[in-house]
Amino acid sequence: MTVNIQQLKQLKQHGRPIVVLTASDYAIAQLLDEAGVDIIMVGDSLAMVTLGYKTTLPVTLEEMLHHAKAVCRGVKRALVVCDLPFMSYQESPQQAMQTAGRVLKETGAQAVKLEGGYPAIAQTVSKLTAAGIPVMGHVGLTPQSVHQLGYRQQGKTLEASEKILQEAIALSDAGAFAIVLEHIPADLALQITQKLSIPTIGIGAGVNCDGQVLVTSDLLGLSERLPPFAKPYLNLRQIITQAVQDFSDDVQQRKFPETN
Ligand code: KIV
């Protein structure tokens, strides 16, 4: 059975944490899906971890569509959520509608994610959801605003935490089906999680969110640099380097191929 947005709400009600990972290609998407991940996110972090850009800002809609199509080809069960890239939705609800429409029509993803809170973004979310497009929100540290916020933890003062709480409420009222809480204090994430009926998905926001997301390259130890809240479960850089060195040695010593 495929995962849908109604089931995610039920998972929150039943207290079963939601598992979310990112993917940007067919093979990884297939493995994540087979491992039972609930949501596979085509995050615009692929700009950095897959395409080698310094921030998420340069990735284009065409590039996101290309990666989302590959991911969707590998997924049978999980819900696929695709990020709307920088400046593909901020201008107006009409622009967001066109962008999100292309994502759903052309890739097979079932939902979109966009960054930021109220009032302009919440209005956009409300238009998208009214048109039947499932939207995931994203507040706290929003990497598309890196030149304004840096990569620092957000919501540390009373005023800043109140603003993030109000943004999350506005997104939920606008019809978002879930919200990513990135790099905010755990007690603020708990407060938002308790206040909202929709699931919160944390990344660097403590254990009390309704689910957790990691960038898969960070989880696998493939990223060059890790954010402070990421946990590598594997050192794939080391494993790949070793395999490449072993192959290289075998070729140079004429040990590969083993048969003529
Ligand atoms: O771009 C991304 O991968 C994300 C997740 C980390 C939430 O936004």
Side-chain angles (χ1 to χ4, degrees):
M1 215 172 67
T2 55
V3 177
N4 60 45
I5 61 172
Q6 288 77 21
Q7 285 164 351
L8 295 171
K9 206 163 178 181
Q10 284 167 11
L11 290 180
K12 172 170 179 126
Q13 285 159 1
H14 294 136
R16 201 288 250 146
I18 298 166
V19 181
V20 187
L21 281 170
T22 66
S24 61
D25 65 41
Y26 170 78
I28 293 287
Q30 197 176 42
L31 290 172
L32 300 183
D33 195 45
E34 285 170 7
V37 164
D38 299 307
I39 300 178
I40 297 182
M41 189 179 285
V42 187
D44 63 356
S45 57
L46 72 81
M48 299 164 81
V49 298
T50 306
L51 301 177
Y53 292 122
K54 289 215 164 2
T55 70
T56 60
L57 272 56
V59 72
T60 64
L61 176 59
E62 299 306 322
E63 286 169 327
M64 291 301 292
L65 294 171
H66 173 78
H67 287 281
K69 283 183 204 171
V71 167
C72 287
R73 281 181 219 119
V75 176
K76 293 199 177 93
R77 183 189 156 274
L79 184 88
V80 178
V81 180
C82 180
D83 260 342
L84 301 189
F86 180 60
M87 280 302 132
S88 73
Y89 63 93
Q90 286 93 340
E91 211 172 290
S92 64
Q94 291 72 19
Q95 187 202 24
M97 196 80 88
Q98 275 178 11
T99 306
R102 281 197 69 190
V103 169
L104 263 58
K105 278 164 92 94
E106 296 178 32
T107 70
Q110 293 98 340
V112 297
K113 176 165 82 61
L114 41 80
E115 294 184 5
Y118 78 114
I121 294 296
Q123 268 168 22
T124 292
V125 171
S126 155
K127 291 256 174 14
L128 292 172
T129 54
I133 300 174
V135 181
M136 181 183 270
H138 184 156
V139 299
L141 171 55
T142 46
Q144 291 180 10
S145 307
V146 59
H147 297 311
Q148 211 169 34
L149 304 178
Y151 289 117
R152 281 183 299 278
Q153 189 186 49
Q154 300 297 303
K156 291 211 287 202
T157 65
L158 199 61
E159 197 188 348
S161 68
E162 183 57 26
K163 181 168 176 282
I164 293 171
L165 172 64
Q166 292 310 324
E167 285 179 343
I169 294 171
L171 289 169
S172 174
D173 289 348
F177 72 89
I179 301 185
V180 168
L181 306 177
E182 181 163 352
H183 209 6
I184 60 171
D187 55 351
L188 172 59
L190 175 62
Q191 199 188 350
I192 296 172
T193 301
Q194 286 173 338
K195 182 93 186 165
L196 302 186
S197 63
I198 59 169
T200 57
I201 308 295
I203 176 161
V207 288
N208 289 314
C209 298
D210 298 305
Q212 297 290 333
V213 56
L214 271 186
V215 173
T216 298
S217 301
D218 295 347
L219 169 132
L220 296 177
L222 201 52
S223 305
E224 278 176 286
R225 276 175 302 277
L226 286 185
F229 45 77
K231 176 176 171 186
Y233 283 76
L234 197 66
N235 190 341
L236 207 48
R237 283 183 88 84
Q238 203 175 62
I239 293 170
I240 291 175
T241 304
Q242 189 60 57
V244 172
Q245 272 164 5
D246 291 348
F247 173 68
S248 176
D249 290 349
D250 282 359
V251 169
Q252 291 181 42
Q253 293 164 26
R254 298 196 186 280
K255 289 185 182 166
F256 177 89
E258 284 163 22
T259 53
N260 288 319

